[in-house]
Amino acid sequence: MKLACVAAVVLAIVCATNGHADPPEKAALGSSSLLPTPDHPTGWRGDGNGRFVAADPPITWGRLSIAIKELSAQAKKPEAGNKGKPIPDGIVREWLTLGPVPIPEGKAAKDDFGTGEAQLAPEAGDKLGDLAWKATTFDTAWMQFQSMYNVKVGDHKGFVAYACTWIHSAEGKPVFMDVLPSGAIKVWLNGKDIFSRADAGLQEGAHIQLPLEKGWNRLMLRAAPLIDTGWSRGVVEWHVVVGFFGTGKDDCESKNILWATPMPDGGPGVGSPCLVGDKLFMEADLGALVCVSAKDGKVLWARSSTFADAATPEEREKNPVVFAEIDPLAARIKDLLEAYCKAPDKFVADAKARGERIANERKISGLMRKVDAKKYVAQSESEAGESAATPVSDGQNVYVVYGSGVVACFDLAGNRRWTTVVGVRHVEHGSCASPCLVDGLLVVKSSSPLGAVSLDARTGAVVTAAPLWKNKEFRVYASPLAVTVGKEKLVVQSFGVITTPRDGKVLSRTIPSQYYAYADFISPTIEGRVFCSNAGPKAEGNRERFVFQTLPDAMSDPLVMKDTKECEYGLKAFPCWFNYDHCSSPLLYQGLAYIVSVDGVLTVIDAAKGEVVYQKLLDLSPWMRSNGVVRSGCSSSPTLGGKHIYIWDNQNSAVVIEPGRQFKQIARNRIEYPWTSYYCERNECTVSNPVFSGSKLFYRAEVNLYCIGEPGK
């Protein structure tokens, strides 16, 4: 299984857009007075494109543990009076480095070399053989040894690199250190071996408790390169990502977090909130829809949608025994959700109650297969969970799609309009595509690769009897995008496939070569008349290719684009955890496309020319393992909030940058919230996309829905 593709769980999911330039200021996305309409619905990334031009959100926020705030660090061996530099974001940037160091004969990278390395306390310039320790300042959490030593070590086999820093703790409180190595690694604290991992191919992140002593502590790392991961096709990976977090027992200091409301599922939290006036609508596993007040975070109501809610009167009449067993389960689910609404914090802290609700929904799914095994198909486990989609609203109703195939419509007060079931069973990494509203139709990604079906938004009845378009060669997790050509409303799917929503006729397609086009996680986005879609690499070598097409002004069959530009680029100069993947969708703004890889590499492309403007490894600290949503890395799509672009990693850190042809970082933010999921203790995972309204920013993390804003503004 291609593990890096897991970030499908975190795939950018597009809702509707009219295919024209941003609407007038009075209706612009980001305005606190904006309300969705049938012609201008809102859902994932607002209109699907992530440009909240009328917003004025804060650029700084955070929740930091006191244990981390009290830390300071320096590469120089401490002397009397040294205080070091504070590391409030948990990132040490100053290290002494040494390499490439030959592995002693008869030893392996995982072994104790027997050279007293644990006791090393170097100064800059100190020698180890012919090599000298060097003071190195890194501008991100990635310590990239590959770029430092590439020209010196040939095939890289038989070498390691060292990194040493000094950490000062005023109180001697324990902290956690997240480590993401490329290959074999050893960690020593004050001369004691506290962590070791052998080179076993793909390396997973480790969450290590550091028993810091009061005063200065010496931290030493030894990292070996990974010669070939298989998926990166011969690229040498040689790096370590390090980040520090509190233990969860520490007091924290918060800034600009107006409220945080826990969701009833405890994760994975892939979907984004949908804002309708003063209400936020949020999906939660397995099949819940939660309505939260945007003003104060109060849970207004929560509803569950299961296969049983989609059952017809005829099915109930023919299966009285089955429904006699289902109805008490459904009643209990309702009671549990009411308990959640009354006391969200208490409910989420009660793992038994959370588990009971989800278990009851699973039981109902199993019982409904007795009613119709073909219609009510079981959904397999996935990183995305069942609630990875983002709701979409026309201002009167809210539409939701779950990984089970349940599609439901509620009014804003929580009254159910209709519920149905469509085939959205995923292949490997989950069903995470959001629905798209266009011309009175709800377009839903179907289980067929590149397929989608259209439902009547008023009734839930199927309008197209077959998927709009499908191709068996590709696995697609992206969402459809609504565009307008002339007076005709059309749908763009992955790889630039354009269809009519009512009959599924294909008008245009930009299909990539099949070389390594395993799947598409990237939803199309549009600015003005230019839309961007993933086209897959043309040849071997982990190169990404995006296509920028200009829609015509008038309809034709086939649809002939006014202009097409392609941009192919590589990422092998940057560090990589597993494979060079993109799982977030692009942001198109002022003619530039901003695209982020799962490892946090930002690529900016001139859409008119199809040329790379710049590439930059962002100041983020993604941390990944092969299980669960933490696989995803940086999969939140770049989003414009007012004058700035906001980009998250998967550990609740975000950078704020200025748009334009030159890179300029404005701020780096982090929220600490310890959580355990998928048998893995670490910081709360973040893989969804933000929503901006006026001076506020709303963001769903693994556990909490956050409102970020300046008090009193």
Side-chain angles (χ1 to χ4, degrees), residues 11 445 449-451 469 474-481 491-498 508-512 519-524 531-535:
L11 168 69
K445 174 73 179 67
L450 279 180
W469 188 76
F474 307 108
R475 298 175 180 181
V476 173
Y477 304 90
S479 297
L481 170 72
V491 174
V492 183
Q493 296 193 69
S494 294
F495 302 128
V497 176
I498 302 179
S508 177
R509 65 181 67 177
T510 303
I511 302 301
D520 187 18
F521 310 124
I522 303 166
S523 300
F531 73 91
C532 170
S533 59
N534 181 24

Side-chain angles (χ1 to χ4, degrees), residues 335-346:
D335 290 342
L336 288 167
L337 285 177
E338 288 180 356
Y340 160 73
C341 293
K342 293 178 181 178
D345 292 280
K346 181 179 179 181

Side-chain angles (χ1 to χ4, degrees), residues 43-67:
W44 181 80
R45 298 179 84 193
D47 66 357
N49 296 294
R51 296 187 300 271
F52 295 84
V53 295
D56 183 26
I59 59 174
T60 60
W61 66 88
R63 178 190 290 138
L64 304 174
S65 68
I66 302 301

Side-chain angles (χ1 to χ4, degrees), residues 640-652:
L640 181 78
K643 299 178 180 179
H644 300 103
I645 296 172
Y646 295 68
I647 307 172
W648 269 259
D649 64 18
N650 68 338
Q651 289 296 289
N652 224 334

Side-chain angles (χ1 to χ4, degrees), residues 376-445:
Y376 303 110
V377 180
Q379 182 67 293
S380 60
E381 297 284 341
S382 73
E383 306 88 354
E386 303 293 314
S387 59
T390 297
V392 62
S393 175
D394 55 13
Q396 298 176 343
N397 299 304
V398 178
Y399 305 85
V400 290
V401 177
Y402 297 100
S404 59
V406 171
V407 185
C409 172
F410 293 87
D411 66 18
L412 303 187
N415 299 304
R416 189 183 302 273
R417 296 293 195 187
W418 52 260
T419 304
T420 189
V421 175
V422 299
V424 299
R425 182 175 174 81
H426 62 75
V427 179
E428 183 176 4
H429 297 299
S431 174
C432 49
S434 293
C436 168
L437 276 172
V438 51
D439 198 22
L441 301 175
L442 185 70
V443 182
V444 178
K445 174 73 179 67

